[in-house]
């Protein structure tokens, strides 16, 4: 008999507290402090947490939003963890399963009554897209976790909690397929699952040691007449009119990057840029721009051309140990000049290596997702040192349903 506990949390805040309590009971390969001592390499922790921090980072983003907007704001979505004191050792379906559902409260203080090994996290920071992730140490159980006897209790809880309907799911493909199938079975009238997957991608990670090894190779890429800077550094030497011009160009890039997403507005793109600038958050947005001070910059009248934004990188989903590359975009006229690699590398180097972020903010790994069919992006990330995992992740939903933001 495999005894499972399905922890259900009412908010990202309580979900994060539950994760902290569960993590303190994990074996050394999952905890933060003990793992560093046992592995003698802090980089290994980032690798272990790369998948889990997709969920943790989403919860942190939702929590930060809730405390920055107003005390009356309540994040939508669902927040669950599946744990076990005696997890299965293989993917056999011969085990009998007992699932105990535990409903936690935001009024829980002190140490939450949670223990065991985390097998699966299910959360929906955007209310309609559900993330399903497992710690790397449990990824061998994906086939077992995708079985109906495990998925059905998840769907039962979601229905009982009256959360937003599942429009799409993102995670290892075997998990998203089974989760969507279970939701459809439990909800009469739900359309068929889309045959064409919305997104097929793979998880990649970069540690400090891998990043350091690629420094010389990246430095060989010619950047004559080009600067790559943190947006806060770039704007610090500009007048107000130039700042607004750069922001307008950045927003144009963001909208082009988001072009495939529904319900994208210019206001939302400005909000993303202004949020980083107003909060003075270094390392979050990196720009590749023309260097107006480069030789030959001024025209015949002595005037220098305006700064042109060639591309940008946006970093987000930050946790204590990892941060993710969320957006990478190069303007079409500047593509083919191998600018993506040094732009991404500059952002990663800031977060991973000495001389960048303050030591208390430095990360153990940077993660990202890349579509296998996007060869230019794949080559750029590998040039930076990213290791791309083999497992396919997917985002999919139901026919005729707008899956919303992602």
């Amino acid at each position: 008999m495999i005894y499972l506990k399905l922890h259900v949390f009412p908010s990202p805040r309580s979900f994060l507290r539950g994760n902290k309590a569960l993590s303190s009971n994990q074996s050394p390969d999952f905890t933060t402090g003990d793992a560093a001592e046992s592995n003698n390499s802090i980089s290994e922790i980032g690798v272990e947490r790369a998948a889990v921090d997709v969920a943790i980072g989403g919860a942190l983003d939702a929590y930060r939003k809730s405390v920055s907007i107003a005390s009356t704001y309540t994040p939508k979505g669902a927040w669950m963890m599946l744990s076990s004191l005696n997890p299965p050792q293989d993917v056999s379906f011969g085990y009998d399963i007992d699932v105990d559902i535990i409903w936690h409260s935001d009024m829980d203080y002190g140490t939450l009554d949670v223990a065991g090994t985390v097998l699966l996290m299910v959360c929906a920071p955007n209310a309609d897209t559900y993330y399903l992730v497992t710690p790397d140490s449990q990824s061998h159980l994906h086939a077992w976790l995708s079985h109906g006897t495990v998925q059905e209790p998840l769907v039962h809880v979601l229905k009982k909690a009256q959360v937003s309907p599942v429009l799409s799911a993102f995670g290892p493909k075997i998990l998203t397929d089974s989760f969507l199938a279970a939701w459809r079975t439990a909800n009469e009238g739900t359309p068929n699952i889309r045959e064409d997957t919305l997104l097929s991608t793979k998880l990649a990670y970069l540690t400090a040691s891998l990043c350091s090894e690629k420094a010389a190779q990246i430095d060989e890429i010619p950047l004559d007449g080009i600067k790559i800077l943190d947006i806060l550094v770039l704007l610090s030497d500009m007048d107000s009119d130039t700042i607004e011009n750069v922001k307008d160009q950045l927003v144009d890039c963001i909208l082009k990057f988001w072009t495939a997403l529904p319900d994208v507005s210019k206001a939302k793109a400005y909000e993303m840029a202004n949020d980083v600038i107003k909060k003075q958050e270094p390392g979050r947005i990196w720009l590749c721009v023309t260097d107006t001070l480069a030789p030959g910059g001024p025209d015949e009248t002595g005037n220098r051309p305006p700064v042109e934004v060639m591309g940008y990188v946006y970093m987000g989903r930050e946790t204590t140990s990892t941060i993710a590359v969320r957006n990478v975009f190069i303007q079409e006229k500047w593509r083919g000049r191998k600018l993506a690699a040094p732009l991404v590398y500059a952002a990663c180097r800031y977060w991973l290596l000495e001389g960048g972020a303050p030591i208390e903010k430095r990360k153990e790994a940077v993660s990202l997702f890349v579509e296998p069919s996007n060869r230019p992006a794949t080559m750029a990330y590998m040039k930076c040192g990213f290791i791309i995992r083999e497992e396919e992740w997917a985002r999919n939903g139901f026919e005729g349903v707008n899956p919303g933001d992602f």
Side-chain angles (χ1 to χ4, degrees):
M1 175 73 73
I2 300 297
Y3 295 96
L4 302 176
K5 291 185 181 295
L6 181 57
H7 302 274
V8 186
F9 302 95
S11 69
R13 173 183 175 275
S14 56
F15 174 84
L16 292 167
R17 292 180 63 247
N19 171 69
K20 184 176 181 180
L22 276 166
S23 295
S24 67
N25 294 311
Q26 298 298 320
S27 56
D29 65 349
F30 190 74
T31 57
T32 300
D34 293 342
E37 295 176 6
S38 62
N39 293 335
N40 295 317
S41 172
I42 198 169
S43 65
E44 295 304 316
I45 313 166
V47 177
E48 166 65 18
R49 294 199 60 90
V52 165
D53 278 356
V54 173
I56 299 302
L60 280 166
D61 284 349
Y63 175 69
R64 291 173 186 130
K65 183 178 180 181
S66 70
V67 297
S68 65
I69 294 179
S71 58
T72 56
Y73 172 78
T74 302
K76 299 178 181 179
W79 313 91
M80 298 188 293
M81 292 182 201
L82 187 70
S83 68
S84 178
L85 289 172
N86 65 326
Q89 300 304 307
D90 54 52
V91 297
S92 169
F93 298 127
Y95 300 105
D96 290 327
I97 296 175
D98 179 80
V99 181
D100 182 19
I101 299 174
I102 303 172
W103 297 82
H104 294 278
S105 166
D106 264 334
M107 300 305 292
D108 293 335
Y109 293 103
T111 302
L112 294 178
D113 182 19
V114 291
T117 298
V118 175
L119 303 181
L120 178 68
M121 293 181 177
V122 181
C123 65
N126 297 325
D128 53 15
T129 298
Y130 284 72
Y131 294 69
L132 294 91
V133 302
T134 62
D136 290 345
S137 56
Q138 306 303 321
S139 61
H140 64 287
L141 295 177
H142 281 170
W144 184 82
L145 290 168
S146 68
H147 198 256
T149 54
V150 178
Q151 294 294 320
E152 288 167 9
L154 301 180
V155 171
H156 168 74
V157 165
L158 292 175
K159 289 188 66 176
K160 186 174 181 180
Q162 298 183 325
V163 297
S164 301
V166 175
L167 301 185
S168 66
F170 178 65
K173 189 174 187 303
I174 189 173
L175 295 179
T176 57
D177 286 351
S178 60
F179 178 71
L180 292 173
W183 177 266
R184 184 172 183 271
T185 300
N187 292 272
E188 186 176 350
T190 301
N192 292 329
I193 300 171
R194 295 172 60 110
E195 292 186 6
D196 54 326
T197 301
L198 291 165
L199 175 66
S200 177
T201 187
K202 291 185 177 181
L203 177 64
Y205 66 88
L206 176 69
T207 61
S209 59
L210 293 170
C211 182
S212 180
E213 290 172 5
K214 294 294 182 177
Q217 184 178 347
I218 294 294
D219 289 342
E220 291 176 356
I221 299 174
L223 295 175
D224 297 335
I226 298 170
K227 291 195 296 187
I228 295 175
L229 295 170
D230 183 313
I231 190 172
L232 300 182
V233 175
L234 178 67
L235 299 184
S236 64
D237 290 331
M238 293 180 172
D239 59 47
S240 58
D241 289 340
T242 306
I243 289 175
E244 291 305 312
N245 177 264
V246 169
K247 284 169 57 177
D248 288 344
Q249 292 185 66
L250 171 59
V251 166
D252 180 62
C253 289
I254 294 172
L255 291 173
K256 289 176 180 176
F257 176 83
W258 285 350
T259 186
L261 298 178
D263 303 326
V264 170
S265 67
K266 183 177 287 190
K268 185 174 181 179
Y270 270 108
E271 179 184 354
M272 177 177 131
N274 285 327
D275 187 56
V276 172
I277 296 170
K278 289 180 179 178
K279 293 180 180 177
Q280 289 290 292
E281 295 181 332
R284 294 288 301 282
I285 296 178
W286 292 78
L287 299 181
C288 182
V289 300
T290 52
D291 186 358
T292 60
L293 298 180
D299 59 23
E300 60 276 7
T301 66
N303 295 321
R304 295 188 179 275
V307 172
E308 183 174 353
V309 176
M310 309 161 79
Y312 81 100
V313 163
Y314 174 71
M315 308 291 288
R317 209 162 56 218
E318 180 183 357
T319 73
T320 56
S321 59
T322 63
I323 193 166
V325 178
R326 301 301 306 276
N327 301 175
V328 180
F329 180 81
I330 301 293
Q331 292 273 28
E332 188 171 356
K333 65 179 284 189
W334 296 105
R335 293 173 189 172
R337 297 186 57 173
K338 301 181 179 179
L339 299 177
L343 178 57
V344 171
Y345 187 82
C348 295
R349 179 171 54 191
Y350 173 86
W351 289 103
L352 294 174
L353 301 183
E354 186 177 352
I359 190 169
E360 67 273 10
K361 293 282 288 182
R362 204 171 302 159
K363 305 305 177 187
E364 295 150 10
V366 174
S367 67
L368 57 80
F369 285 96
V370 59
E371 297 180 50
S373 60
N374 190 342
R375 182 169 175 78
T378 299
M379 297 303 293
Y381 300 147
M382 291 178 68
K383 187 172 291 185
C384 293
F386 278 90
I387 300 296
I388 301 175
R389 295 180 174 177
E390 288 300 320
E391 183 177 45
E392 179 185 3
W393 285 50
R395 185 194 186 201
N396 206 1
F398 301 101
E399 292 180 353
V401 175
N402 182 346
D405 291 339
F406 176 58

